[in-house]
Every structure is written in structure tokens, then in C-alpha cells.
Amino acid sequence: MSITIYDQLVPVFSHMLSSLDKVLTKAEADAAARKIDLDVFVNGRLAPDMLPLTRQIQIMTDQAKGGASRLAGQDPPKWPDEEANFADLHARIAKTIAHLKTFKPNQFEGAETRSIELKFPNATFNFTGKDYLLKFVMPNFYFHYTTAYAILRHNGVQIGKGDFLGNR
Amino acid sequence: MSITIYDQLVPVFSHMLSSLDKVLTKAEADAAARKIDLDVFVNGRLAPDMLPLTRQIQIMTDQAKGGASRLAGQDPPKWPDEEANFADLHARIAKTIAHLKTFKPNQFEGAETRSIELKFPNATFNFTGKDYLLKFVMPNFYFHYTTAYAILRHNGVQIGKGDFLGNR
């Protein structure tokens, strides 16, 4: 009646990141077919005060990187947020999947009760490992994945739920 | 190093559904302040071939209802998808939270290996309970929650990530 933290995070996020990678490849083909400059997608937003595609993917990958690292008791590596085109975004996704691959199930021993502190410029959050995973990392990961997907859909890219879930 | 299926699903989804309920209340106040007919939000979409707000919330609540029921070995109750306004959507959310409250942790005993079959008009999916939760219910729940949130954001409602996560 329980599932390891490794299983909840490492294989699932790797799978979703691979699905995002394929979604981006479809978006590139779509832009080529419709003769749309890829920068339009890179800078696409759902509202003027929402973040563009690049930032959605940077934050999504940060959730995977930070979630796995912190729950395994490590400081997350710092990655500059310099992605500016689709090649950069593919590389960011590949780097994140490679980071996830470095973890072994036993590194998450006791992670559900580990104290996790997140410092932001205007706030500090303190979580147990369990709440950090379930109420922060997981919803944030899918929030930014869905928003990235929705930016492309909003811009007319022909993708569907099967692409999002990676089951086609 | 593991977390029960009950903990992954029941309290977390209840929390997120309560957060969505508050997001809808903010959207109603925003519509009143900007003199916007609430039907504009109810029928809002991110793309002409994406589903409107009502369907996003119906499917999101179906994931919570179906996920908990099937993982506990029960047939999910059938709910007609007749919601047409904000009052109906609040009621749908309340009904879903009430349904989640009927489950006890021990009902998910062995759920991670339970066989789950989902039949759709054009496809049948077979999952273990673990894959059904992690690769179907969880991403779908957040996909439709995020899309509902994004429809409101796209329409200018002043909400933020803290509202989505329910930590403010």
C-alpha cells in the first residue's frame, strides 16, 4: 500500500521529461510546416504577466533536479537559466534526465521525514520530505509542464493528451 | 523511504480541490469587479480545439473520484457532466472532496499491484495500480487543474502560484 519516493520521482519525471522532449520536436516540425519562426514559440505566453515557454521548462526541470537532490540529502547543482532556443531546451531536458539517472533508490532512505527548507527572496518554506514531494515538487512539476504544453497548443501546435502523458 | 497510496492521493487531492474552489471564488470576485459575465470564464478555452473550463474541472474531479475508487477496488460512482455555472462547479468540487473523505488508508492495501483496466471508446489501457496512480491519475489531475487555472489567468484573473498550490 505504499510506493517508494524513488519510484514516485525518478522514473516518472524521467518519463515526463522524455515526453516533453518529443512534444518540443513536434513543435519544431509544426513551426517548419507553418513557416513560423521558432522564437515565437520560445517566447510564447498564455498571458502578458505569465512566464514564457523557456522559463516554464527551466522551472519544470528545476523541480526535478531540486526535488531529487534535496530528498536525497544533497544540495541541488546550480544551472544558469540561459536557454534561448529549442536546441538549448532539448539540452536542458537531457541534462535533467542525466541528473535523475545518478540517483539510486537507497539514497531516498528516510526522505519522507527529512526536513527541507526552501529559501526564496520573499519567503522561506519548511517542509517534511513527504509534503515537499507531494505538495510542492509534484504539483509544480506538472504545473510548468502543462503550461509549456498549453503555450504550444495555444499557438496551434497539433499535440494531444497522449503526447503529454507519453503513451503514444 | 515510501509513502502510502492514501497519503499520495486522498489528502493531497482534497487540498488541491479546496485550492481550486478558492481560485474559482477569486475568479467570481474578479468578474464582478470587471463587470464580466461569468459565462465568459465558464466557456473559456486556451485554444478553439481545447476543452472549456467546465470540462477541465469535470475531468480533474473524475481523476480524483476514479483514482481513489479504482485503487480501493471499487467501481467509481457515475456523475453526469451537467455543470453549467460557477455554483455547479463549486458543488462538483464539494462532491469530489466528500467522496475522497469516504476512503480509509487500509482500503488501499495492495493497491500498487492491483490490475486497473480503463476502457475508452477507442482504446483500452491496462495498468498496475502504481502506474495508474503515477503515470495517469496524477499527471491528468494536475494537467486539468493547471489548464483550468491557465484559462482564468489567460482571461486576466489575478491569481498566482500560491493560489494554485493553496499555500496562501
Side-chain angles (χ1 to χ4, degrees):
Chain A
M1 63 182 289
S2 64
I3 300 174
T4 67
I5 284 178
Y6 176 88
D7 278 355
Q8 289 176 64
L9 203 160
V10 176
V12 178
F13 283 10
S14 299
H15 173 81
M16 296 297 163
L17 287 161
S18 295
S19 305
L20 168 64
D21 196 65
K22 290 176 197 147
V23 162
L24 292 184
T25 300
K26 286 199 172 187
E28 289 170 275
D30 176 271
R34 290 194 288 151
K35 301 191 196 309
I36 293 167
D37 189 325
L38 275 174
D39 281 350
V40 176
F41 293 169
V42 165
N43 299 310
R45 300 171 193 259
L46 293 177
D49 57 351
M50 287 183 81
L51 296 169
L53 183 71
T54 39
R55 287 295 294 142
Q56 301 296 343
I57 293 176
Q58 286 162 353
I59 300 174
M60 176 192 174
T61 51
D62 277 349
Q63 292 300 323
K65 174 189 70 158
S69 297
R70 290 193 185 95
L71 285 165
Q74 300 176 4
D75 287 331
K78 289 193 194 304
W79 295 346
D81 291 324
E82 295 169 342
E83 289 76 13
N85 55 46
F86 270 63
D88 293 345
L89 291 173
H90 284 297
R92 173 91 175 209
I93 293 166
K95 186 165 63 167
T96 309
I97 294 172
H99 179 69
L100 288 174
K101 279 213 178 104
T102 65
F103 293 93
K104 300 279 173 290
N106 64 10
Q107 290 178 264
F108 299 96
E109 195 73 54
E112 66 275 20
T113 55
R114 191 186 291 283
S115 277
I116 310 269
E117 185 178 80
L118 290 190
K119 290 192 176 188
F120 294 97
N122 298 316
T124 298
F125 291 101
N126 285 286
F127 296 99
T128 60
K130 182 172 89 170
D131 280 351
Y132 171 62
L133 175 62
L134 295 179
K135 292 188 170 176
F136 191 86
V137 172
M138 197 82 78
N140 268 305
F141 179 83
Y142 285 118
F143 178 94
H144 292 286
Y145 182 18
T146 305
T147 306
Y149 169 96
I151 289 169
L152 296 171
R153 280 289 267 111
H154 179 65
N155 278 280
V157 178
Q158 295 296 306
I159 43 178
K161 177 73 76 60
D163 297 301
F164 178 86
L165 295 175
N167 56 18
R168 73 172 173 211
Chain B
M1 66 182 289
S2 63
I3 300 175
T4 66
I5 285 178
Y6 177 88
D7 278 356
Q8 289 176 65
L9 202 160
V10 177
V12 178
F13 283 11
S14 299
H15 173 81
M16 295 296 163
L17 288 162
S18 295
S19 306
L20 168 64
D21 196 64
K22 290 176 197 146
V23 163
L24 292 185
T25 300
K26 286 198 174 188
E28 289 170 274
D30 177 273
R34 291 195 288 151
K35 304 194 194 307
I36 293 168
D37 189 325
L38 275 173
D39 281 350
V40 175
F41 293 168
V42 165
N43 299 310
R45 300 172 193 258
L46 293 176
D49 57 351
M50 288 183 80
L51 296 170
L53 183 70
T54 38
R55 286 295 295 143
Q56 301 296 344
I57 294 175
Q58 286 161 354
I59 300 173
M60 174 192 175
T61 52
D62 276 350
Q63 292 300 322
K65 173 189 70 157
S69 297
R70 291 192 185 94
L71 286 164
Q74 300 177 3
D75 286 331
K78 288 193 193 305
W79 294 345
D81 290 325
E82 296 170 340
E83 289 76 15
N85 56 46
F86 271 62
D88 293 346
L89 292 173
H90 283 297
R92 174 91 175 209
I93 294 165
K95 186 165 64 167
T96 311
I97 294 172
H99 179 68
L100 289 174
K101 278 214 178 102
T102 65
F103 293 93
K104 301 279 171 290
N106 64 11
Q107 290 178 267
F108 299 96
E109 196 72 53
E112 66 275 20
T113 55
R114 189 186 295 282
S115 276
I116 310 269
E117 184 178 81
L118 289 189
K119 290 193 175 187
F120 293 98
N122 299 315
T124 298
F125 292 101
N126 284 286
F127 297 99
T128 59
K130 183 172 90 170
D131 280 352
Y132 171 61
L133 175 62
L134 295 178
K135 293 188 169 175
F136 190 86
V137 172
M138 197 83 80
N140 268 305
F141 179 83
Y142 284 119
F143 178 95
H144 292 286
Y145 183 18
T146 305
T147 306
Y149 169 96
I151 288 169
L152 296 172
R153 281 289 268 111
H154 179 65
N155 278 281
V157 178
Q158 295 297 308
I159 43 178
K161 178 71 78 58
D163 297 300
F164 178 86
L165 295 175
N167 57 18
R168 74 175 173 208

